[in-house]
Amino acid sequence: MTDMTDYGHDLLFGTFVTPGAQNAAHVLDLAVTADRTGLDLVTFQDHPYQPAFLDTWTLLSYAAARTERVHLSGNVLSLPLRPPAVLARAAASLDLLSGGRVELGLGAGAFWDGIEAMGGRRLTPGEGVDALREAVAIIRDLWDTDTRGGVRHDGTYYRMAGAKRGPAPAHDIPIWIGAYKRRMLALAGEIGDGWLPTLEYLPDGVASLPRLNARIDEAATDAGRSPRDVRRLLNVMNVRFAPTGRGMLDGPPDQWVEQLAGLALEHGVTAYLIGGDDVATTERFAAEVVPAVREVVARERAA
């Protein structure tokens, strides 16, 4: 393999679930399946303006109560409709209640007609980046109970006038940023704990990864960080087990193993979240793919 980029993170495997309100029992079954089969993460899309969907934060809370070890996250939460100070307290609270199993995926906002219809502010893409930067600072300040004094923030999009800090979460909650464009990628590199895109939205699919990774790496280095400080995650929505291979995660299990190991070793992607909303696919992923990918990556890293 040439031009390899492996940031060295442990591997995480999980699901990217559609929170359909009409099949709420099935949505919950998918979360329980991820937990039962030993997957690391179960994540839910967040579209508060979509009446066909369950509210994602309510779903995360309910799923946390019905599971024991799997970690949970919005993928990604719509910041324009989720005030950052309230979100910080909600995430810390659920982390404490669940024993440290909450992660925080954040997006600057999309589908602005729906956001505006729900009472949110319509922002330009540039404004969305700046608002997200302010929000991350507020969230981290509220979690920081070691610093004395209230949280003050006089930003363009959010103000804090001495809010008391806390509660502190049970573990250091990583903030994963959904990003595709230059400024958002730079923000992920500058302040994010992870980058969480969806494969089907990348301009050139997997071929986009070297260029986009490089943008994040450059921004991290410019900010005095290491590129290794930013975990690379990836949603793959359209997945299928099939006798013959047709594309990314569309084929037999051994093809899935080869493709996911390649994403880790060649592109530094170390968290894989599959769509499909199918219990049998989730079970097969956990049983036939996950252990084999771990083995291949461990072997290659040792070599």
Side-chain angles (χ1 to χ4, degrees):
M1 296 176 185
T2 58
D3 197 28
M4 287 171 59
T5 303
D6 180 0
Y7 301 96
H9 296 115
D10 55 322
L11 303 184
L12 300 175
F13 299 85
T15 53
F16 180 39
V17 178
T18 309
Q22 293 302 313
N23 53 346
H26 178 65
V27 173
L28 193 63
D29 196 20
L30 288 164
V32 171
T33 299
D35 191 48
R36 170 173 54 80
T37 58
L39 293 180
D40 305 292
L41 284 164
V42 58
T43 71
F44 304 102
Q45 298 180 41
D46 182 45
H47 299 285
Y49 35 78
Q50 171 54 275
F53 286 174
L54 297 163
D55 170 67
T56 295
W57 198 266
T58 307
L59 174 58
L60 285 167
S61 303
Y62 195 82
R66 290 289 306 274
T67 53
E68 295 177 2
R69 54 166 302 284
V70 75
H71 285 232
L72 305 107
S73 179
N75 188 349
V76 289
L77 294 172
S78 178
L79 181 67
L81 289 171
R82 299 198 178 275
V86 178
L87 187 57
R89 296 227 205 279
S93 299
L94 188 54
D95 199 52
L96 289 164
L97 290 165
S98 66
R101 294 191 287 126
V102 172
E103 324 294 6
L104 194 60
L106 285 181
F111 306 103
W112 290 102
D113 289 347
I115 289 169
E116 195 172 42
M118 287 280 284
R121 278 182 297 192
R122 181 183 288 271
L123 302 177
T124 66
E127 290 170 340
V129 177
D130 294 337
L132 182 58
R133 180 189 301 279
E134 289 184 20
V136 170
I138 287 168
I139 290 167
R140 288 186 173 144
D141 280 347
L142 283 166
W143 289 342
D144 175 17
T145 54
D146 293 331
T147 300
R148 294 175 65 93
V151 175
R152 296 190 177 277
H153 181 89
D154 190 15
T156 304
Y157 304 94
Y158 301 107
R159 291 190 67 248
M160 300 289 286
K164 289 182 167 55
R165 299 171 188 267
H171 82 302
D172 287 333
I173 298 177
I175 296 179
W176 299 331
I177 293 174
Y180 300 92
K181 300 289 177 63
R182 270 186 75 79
R183 285 195 64 207
M184 279 290 285
L185 291 164
L187 185 74
E190 188 182 336
I191 65 171
D193 300 306
W195 171 44
L196 178 51
T198 296
L199 176 68
E200 286 82 357
Y201 296 159
L202 295 178
D204 302 305
V206 172
S208 306
L209 289 173
R211 173 171 53 85
L212 303 182
N213 268 329
R215 176 68 174 150
I216 293 169
D217 293 351
E218 178 188 2
T221 303
D222 288 348
R225 310 174 75 207
S226 166
R228 296 171 73 100
D229 293 340
V230 188
R231 178 189 282 280
R232 316 303 156 106
L233 308 94
L234 187 65
N235 299 316
V236 185
M237 294 192 298
N238 303 316
V239 305
R240 187 179 60 148
F241 286 109
T244 55
R246 294 186 178 182
M248 177 60 70
L249 304 193
D250 184 351
D254 59 348
Q255 176 187 303
W256 283 48
V257 172
E258 183 180 339
Q259 289 173 336
L260 292 178
L263 284 172
L265 297 166
E266 296 168 43
H267 302 294
V269 177
T270 51
Y272 320 97
L273 303 161
I274 63 164
D277 297 323
D278 181 65
V279 168
T281 299
T282 302
E283 291 172 336
R284 196 169 182 189
F285 178 54
E288 299 182 33
V289 176
V290 170
V293 177
R294 291 193 191 283
E295 187 179 321
V296 171
V297 172
R299 186 173 67 237
E300 290 292 325
R301 283 175 169 176

